[in-house]
Amino acid sequence: MENPIGCDDLGNGFWGGVLSNRINYIGTTLLPEQYSGATSIEAVLENEKALQGSISSLWSRYYDEERALLSTLEGLREHTRRQECVLNSFLVTVRQHRNLFTPVARLPPEILSQIFVFNAQIRLEGWLEAAHTCSLVCKRWREIALDCAELWSQLNFENHYPPRRLAKIVERARSVPLSFIGGSGVKTWSRNERMALVVNNMHRFKSIDLRVPAGNNDDVDSLFKIFNESTPMLEDLTVSTPCANSSFVLPQDFLGGCASNLRHIKLSTTVLVPWGSALFSNLTTLEVDGYRTSVITCAYRRSRCCLPR
């Protein structure tokens, strides 16, 4: 078979021209003779360095432009947030002016305060819960509610409020008389500021609903030791216990043995009262829940003879 590409004569034709370039093998790189030598290698390395520098410069420009764009975008976001705040403030102002035209907004603060107090008296969830509800309706109602000292005049220890919240309630009540409800959790009072709140405000109590804990004489004694200070403003007193089989005697120095304004008292049948105490000298109303023990019944009958008509 004939050789179609003339392999017998490599010096002639195409392959002869290729071989005439005398290819030099340097490692795995093929360099023609005219590109060989130290000078050519250094030129290639210089070109490579220059190319890497150009690439680094392009990346640097890219990062700089990216940071500039991100900074501009953050500036636009901040501007948008400021504009949203301005818009929200404008909407609040519009709503406030619109609310001024409602009939309830025309009521003077004094009338609204009385409505708030009446609402707190009839609400089933509790006095303070109703007060907080009124203070969360709108800005005007909150200002009026916080300014109404009578609305915060009930100090209820049965709701297990933290001492800080109770102190805030006393602060809002300012100088108005207070109503106290509590006593069942007296064993925890000595561990926090609750006892201090009671002792420091005894002279302000206009009404006391004392709920004596049952089944532990130490707790009863601790409770009566706290309530041995005079209460010159006290008008209404309620003493009760949740257990019908637990009886106790009010000590002679209860409420300092003197409450000149005390007019109304409500007792449970398990409460034994020292009727000879000056604490009960000005009573006008006495209420006893049931008459299970003859001691209380006789004491009640004797007390009726001593009550002023």
Side-chain angles (χ1 to χ4, degrees):
M1 181 181 293
E2 296 182 358
N3 189 351
I5 58 174
C7 293
D8 296 332
D9 187 6
L10 294 178
N12 297 324
F14 172 78
W15 292 105
V18 172
L19 293 176
S20 63
N21 290 326
R22 292 176 296 176
I23 302 299
N24 297 323
Y25 289 86
I26 303 176
T28 58
T29 305
L30 296 176
L31 292 176
E33 189 180 42
Q34 58 266 31
Y35 298 108
S36 62
T39 303
S40 299
I41 295 175
E42 290 177 357
V44 172
L45 294 176
E46 289 296 333
N47 291 335
E48 183 180 359
K49 291 181 180 178
L51 182 59
Q52 291 178 351
S54 299
I55 294 174
S56 299
S57 177
L58 290 175
W59 276 114
S60 178
R61 288 179 57 188
Y62 168 76
Y63 289 136
D64 292 341
E65 292 180 359
E66 183 184 19
R67 284 192 293 267
L69 289 175
L70 291 176
S71 178
T72 303
L73 181 60
E74 185 62 30
L76 291 175
R77 289 175 178 172
E78 182 64 27
H79 178 72
T80 303
R81 283 193 291 266
R82 289 196 299 266
Q83 293 300 317
E84 288 179 351
C85 292
V86 172
L87 179 59
N88 291 333
S89 177
F90 176 75
L91 292 177
V92 169
T93 304
V94 171
R95 294 190 186 101
Q96 290 176 349
H97 284 79
R98 182 190 61 186
N99 292 338
L100 293 176
F101 295 97
T102 59
V104 69
R106 302 175 187 176
L107 293 176
E110 295 80 7
I111 301 298
L112 272 179
S113 298
Q114 294 301 318
I115 294 175
F116 292 164
V117 173
F118 178 74
N119 175 68
Q121 292 173 348
I122 64 175
R123 292 289 286 271
L124 297 178
E125 67 269 22
W127 182 292
L128 294 178
E129 286 75 9
H132 284 292
T133 301
C134 293
S135 66
L136 298 176
V137 174
C138 64
K139 181 179 179 180
R140 181 171 182 263
W141 280 31
R142 179 172 181 81
E143 292 175 352
I144 295 175
L146 294 180
D147 191 57
C148 180
E150 187 179 357
L151 190 61
W152 309 97
S153 61
Q154 187 183 87
L155 197 59
N156 192 339
F157 278 25
E158 296 299 307
N159 290 337
H160 305 290
Y161 289 141
R164 182 176 300 179
R165 186 175 182 182
L166 293 173
K168 191 66 177 179
I169 292 172
V170 173
E171 179 184 346
R172 291 176 179 176
R174 295 192 289 276
S175 59
V176 301
L178 300 175
S179 298
F180 174 83
I181 300 175
S184 59
V186 65
K187 62 182 178 181
T188 63
W189 291 6
S190 59
R191 304 175 189 173
N192 48 43
E193 304 170 0
R194 293 174 181 265
M195 183 184 296
L197 284 173
V198 175
V199 174
N200 295 337
N201 293 282
M202 286 286 290
H203 63 285
R204 298 177 56 186
F205 289 159
K206 183 179 180 180
S207 172
I208 295 179
D209 184 354
L210 195 61
R211 303 177 182 182
V212 181
N216 193 328
N217 293 330
D218 293 337
D219 291 344
V220 175
D221 294 339
S222 301
L223 182 63
F224 287 144
K225 286 180 181 179
I226 297 173
F227 284 86
N228 62 354
E229 301 290 335
S230 62
T231 53
M233 300 183 66
L234 185 63
E235 297 180 0
D236 296 274
L237 173 64
T238 300
V239 182
S240 61
T241 180
C243 182
N245 298 324
S246 177
S247 61
F248 55 89
V249 182
L250 289 180
Q252 288 287 344
D253 60 347
F254 180 60
L255 300 180
C258 179
S260 57
N261 289 321
L262 182 59
R263 296 293 185 268
H264 312 283
I265 184 170
K266 180 178 180 180
L267 304 172
S268 64
T269 57
T270 55
V271 181
L272 305 181
V273 181
W275 295 109
S277 173
L279 180 68
F280 310 103
S281 59
N282 296 321
L283 285 181
T284 59
T285 303
L286 175 63
E287 181 180 353
V288 179
D289 293 338
Y291 307 98
R292 295 185 179 180
T293 61
S294 59
V295 176
I296 290 297
T297 304
C298 295
Y300 172 63
R301 290 174 178 173
R302 290 197 301 269
S303 66
R304 291 181 60 186
C305 301
C306 301
L307 291 178
R309 297 184 182 276

